[in-house]
Amino acid sequence: MNKKVLILSGSPRKHGNSDILCDEFMRGAVESGNEVEKIRIAEKKIGYCKACYYCRQSEGICAIKDDMAEVLQKMIDADVIVLASPVYFYSVDAQLKALIDRTVARWLEVRDKKFYYIATMADTDTSSADTTLACFRGYAECVEGAEEMGFICGAGVYEKGEIKNTPYMIQAYEMGKSVK
């Protein structure tokens, strides 16, 4: 049975390294017969959570009127969620973190998801992605029925597009292809 796959690309650079890996994951997942959508978070208007908890008293409606309600509904509807981010100071970038925090409005509805993670970084020491991976896992830990399916750490890439001639491209494609 095909899956509904939602790729959340945190890359602030269109066609940046993590965004390119998202495209390869998507190519593989589509070839496996899945319904796939990629959202470039930087192209959406998503503000940061202000901890006002308006959502608690309004049945999950956020006080901030931006694109997050649409994205959150897609997260709820998805079977598979891919979280992708470049490593910024050993963690996820601000775009993805804001999105994760904003799921608080309806976080109990995001459940039973298979998670895949993609990170890219200039550093060649993959332990530099440990905190990024911990952030991905920390979010999934809050999702009831979450299952981690895979992680790619594209190390040693900094310049936009540098990821293209690396084995990470094949890894991302194969990981997407494995979604069933």
Side-chain angles (χ1 to χ4, degrees):
M1 183 167 117
N2 64 349
K3 302 285 185 198
K4 205 172 204 179
V5 179
L6 180 64
I7 301 171
L8 298 171
S9 176
S11 178
R13 298 188 296 185
K14 189 172 192 171
H15 306 299
N17 293 313
S18 59
D19 195 46
I20 290 169
L21 290 184
C22 287
D23 290 341
E24 281 304 292
F25 183 100
M26 182 166 57
R27 188 169 70 88
V30 167
E31 284 183 19
S32 287
N34 297 290
E35 179 185 329
V36 184
E37 180 178 4
K38 180 180 92 168
I39 296 175
R40 284 196 20 77
I41 301 168
E43 293 175 357
K44 296 290 185 181
K45 183 179 179 197
I46 298 176
Y48 61 90
C49 179
K50 297 179 181 179
C52 68
Y53 297 113
Y54 176 83
C55 55
R56 280 183 162 171
Q57 52 203 323
S58 63
E59 298 178 12
I61 297 170
C62 183
I64 303 168
K65 302 304 173 210
D66 59 10
D67 295 330
M68 187 58 200
E70 170 196 347
V71 174
L72 184 50
Q73 186 60 56
K74 290 177 182 202
M75 291 175 74
I76 291 165
D77 295 342
D79 301 305
V80 174
I81 296 175
V82 178
L83 299 176
S85 176
V87 175
Y88 282 7
F89 294 99
Y90 303 106
S91 192
V92 298
D93 67 4
Q95 292 83 355
L96 184 59
K97 183 63 169 113
L99 181 140
I100 288 170
D101 290 349
R102 288 285 301 286
T103 64
V104 71
R106 297 174 63 193
W107 71 279
L108 292 173
E109 296 175 65
V110 181
R111 55 187 312 156
D112 301 320
K113 307 297 177 204
K114 294 185 183 304
F115 281 94
Y116 293 85
Y117 310 127
I118 296 172
T120 56
M121 61 186 186
D123 199 339
T124 56
D125 180 356
T126 57
S127 70
S128 293
D130 290 352
T131 305
T132 303
L133 181 57
C135 187
F136 292 153
R137 286 178 171 160
Y139 176 65
E141 185 86 15
C142 297
V143 172
E144 186 176 326
E147 186 178 351
E148 182 177 325
M149 304 303 293
F151 172 55
I152 293 174
C153 179
V157 293
Y158 178 72
E159 296 300 328
K160 185 176 178 179
E162 199 172 353
I163 197 85
K164 288 182 182 176
N165 297 316
T166 69
Y168 303 121
M169 296 289 284
I170 296 166
Q171 289 175 22
Y173 169 78
E174 291 297 331
M175 195 162 73
K177 192 100 171 135
S178 74
V179 175
K180 297 197 184 347

